[in-house]
Amino acid sequence: MKHFRLAFVSGFALDIPALLILFMFAFHPVTTQETISIAPGAESYGSLEVDLNGGAPISGTYESISGNDILFMLLDEGQFAEYAANVSHSSRFSAVSASGSFSIEQVDMERCYLVVEQATEFSSAEEVRVTFELNEMDLVYLALSLSLFTAGGIIIMYALYTRNKERVDARISASKYVDVVFFEEKR
Amino acid sequence: MAERRIGLIPNATTIVRAGQDENCRILVTDRRLIMAFDAPKSSLKLGLKGVFGKEADEPPEAPEEIDFAKVDIDRLARMNDNIVIPYFSVDKLKIDAILGVYSFGVLYKNEENKKLWVGATFVPPEALLRMRKAEGLNRREIIKQYGQKCQELLKRALPSSTSLNVEWKQ
């Protein structure tokens, strides 16, 4: 019984930190800063392809370095294909301003495109600074968490198995009837 | 005339409640079958007892502690959720043997005149398996012998009026 308790508590003692590591360290935000250039001309645009790590939320800011208004868009793959083909398209996010912020919480896309166009001044080149934050998986912490969790789970299973075995053995030794009994009661 | 004990089947696995397997002991008398169920020890609640608190005491009348040779039959019939099948209420009793494992099914009417079916497989107690294995028998033979004994016991107990509706497996 003592061994069972010790094993059971040890199993939990491994599983709880495993879950804490998983939720606190295995996924952490990584900030990236990029500059997107736009060539002169009304038809020009600049774009940046962002891998969303299987669909992580993305948020960030943009800022035109010259201070001129720009059109900033966040497009998914289909929308970007339509945009590049110069046909009518929608966007996940769009705004016209010299600077601003964007955030997409529920992401159903593997990758997205940050697209910028000049909104007012087309004769000179433009540069836009984009900063965005993505949740990335840390494989070391993930592996550590999974290993601890598995080890804890195995210890708990073993504890339950030994406890059950002890109970079965106790029941066997307590029971006086092990085979079919024919009572010899008189009528 | 007093009710007479014919025998005891020390272990059977039955599916009676919410699709769950439950072990029981079956006291066979000349008037009825009484299926005495084990306490549900596998539940998580009971499983966790003893980890964070004092080990739960076994119910005072757990089937393993009952002396079936002496216990008051009526009291046993009323105890817990035990199933009682009087022979006069049996519509049909069938014994099957699949791959040497004997099982039985009973169609009977309860006190409210509702037709019910109860099935059980005659699985030898772990202690018997260990004992017979030590004697050189293999598991299959032990299970078969146990099932045959159970069948023999039921044959002795059932009155002829009920036996008319019984299918025995040879």
Side-chain angles (χ1 to χ4, degrees):
Chain A
M1 192 62 203
K2 239 180 184 177
H3 289 135
F4 164 72
R5 280 186 193 173
L6 188 67
F8 203 88
V9 172
S10 308
F12 266 107
L14 285 176
D15 276 355
I16 291 166
L19 290 174
L20 287 176
I21 289 170
L22 182 70
F23 289 108
M24 292 176 73
F25 303 110
F27 298 94
H28 56 90
V30 172
T31 305
T32 310
Q33 193 175 67
E34 297 278 351
T35 302
I36 306 173
S37 302
I38 314 169
E43 296 291 311
S44 300
Y45 68 90
S47 68
L48 177 69
E49 186 181 329
V50 180
D51 187 344
L52 294 175
N53 302 324
I58 181 171
S59 60
T61 58
Y62 60 90
E63 183 189 8
S64 111
I65 288 168
S66 67
N68 294 328
D69 280 356
I70 51 152
L71 168 61
F72 178 89
M73 290 179 286
L74 194 152
L75 307 178
D76 63 29
E77 285 177 277
Q79 289 165 345
F80 183 70
E82 289 168 354
Y83 174 81
N86 210 12
V87 294
S88 171
H89 66 89
S90 55
S91 63
R92 298 294 180 116
F93 174 86
S94 72
V96 177
S97 59
S99 64
S101 62
F102 60 94
S103 175
I104 305 277
E105 285 300 322
Q106 289 189 329
V107 182
D108 53 356
M109 46 194 173
E110 297 264 317
R111 59 187 63 244
C112 73
Y113 295 86
L114 305 179
V115 179
V116 286
E117 276 182 29
Q118 298 199 60
T120 51
E121 175 59 54
F122 305 108
S123 57
S124 58
E126 180 66 89
E127 288 202 322
V128 179
R129 192 181 300 123
V130 182
T131 308
F132 56 89
E133 196 174 88
L134 274 173
N135 269 337
E136 285 198 357
M137 192 170 23
D138 190 320
L139 289 176
V140 174
Y141 281 116
L142 186 69
L144 178 67
S145 162
L146 288 178
S147 307
L148 283 177
F149 194 79
T150 309
I154 289 169
I155 292 172
I156 289 173
M157 298 279 279
Y158 177 74
L160 289 173
Y161 167 76
T162 49
R163 179 183 169 83
N164 193 41
K165 194 167 175 293
E166 276 171 17
R167 283 185 158 181
V168 169
D169 289 346
R171 212 185 306 172
I172 287 168
S173 56
S175 177
K176 55 194 281 189
Y177 301 105
V178 292
D179 202 355
V180 177
V181 179
F182 292 86
F183 295 118
E184 301 292 336
E185 284 192 2
K186 288 180 183 168
R187 280 179 191 276
Chain B
M1 199 164 58
E3 187 172 4
R4 200 164 56 93
R5 270 167 256 254
I6 307 295
L8 175 77
I9 296 170
N11 193 46
T13 303
T14 183
I15 304 168
V16 282
R17 291 165 208 158
Q20 279 186 319
D21 284 6
E22 286 189 52
N23 286 333
C24 68
R25 290 159 176 77
I26 305 174
L27 179 67
V28 183
T29 75
D30 59 347
R31 292 182 193 170
R32 54 189 166 172
L33 300 176
I34 302 170
M35 300 169 85
F37 286 90
D38 285 0
K41 293 188 179 61
S42 57
S43 72
L44 182 64
K45 194 179 164 190
L46 280 166
L48 290 175
K49 273 183 185 171
V51 177
F52 302 110
K54 195 176 167 240
E55 169 83 12
D57 291 332
E58 291 295 319
E61 294 177 325
E64 58 265 34
E65 291 171 8
I66 296 171
D67 186 348
F68 286 90
K70 289 178 185 163
V71 69
D72 180 77
I73 299 173
D74 288 328
R75 203 174 123 250
L76 181 71
R78 286 194 304 270
M79 216 184 269
N80 305 328
D81 293 330
N82 292 349
I83 293 178
V84 181
I85 306 170
Y87 299 143
F88 66 80
S89 70
V90 172
D91 278 349
K92 190 172 184 179
L93 190 147
K94 190 178 177 185
I95 300 244
D96 268 330
I98 299 166
L99 298 172
V101 180
Y102 282 72
S103 59
F104 86 115
V106 190
L107 186 65
Y108 71 104
K109 281 183 191 147
N110 68 359
E111 289 167 347
E112 294 148 7
N113 214 26
K114 193 177 167 188
K115 275 196 176 183
L116 295 171
W117 182 90
V118 172
T121 307
F122 299 128
V123 183
E126 193 62 33
L128 181 67
L129 280 169
R130 287 185 194 174
M131 229 160 68
R132 295 280 183 266
K133 271 184 188 169
E135 291 166 7
L137 285 175
N138 66 35
R139 190 182 172 85
R140 198 171 170 160
E141 286 166 341
I142 303 163
I143 292 171
K144 192 176 175 185
Q145 282 181 6
Y146 180 77
Q148 285 169 338
K149 274 191 190 172
C150 295
Q151 179 170 247
E152 177 57 32
L153 175 59
L154 292 173
K155 268 185 184 175
R156 278 198 204 177
L158 289 172
S160 54
S161 60
T162 315
S163 300
L164 294 174
N165 297 324
V166 176
E167 284 178 32
W168 300 110
K169 188 77 187 178
Q170 295 308 314

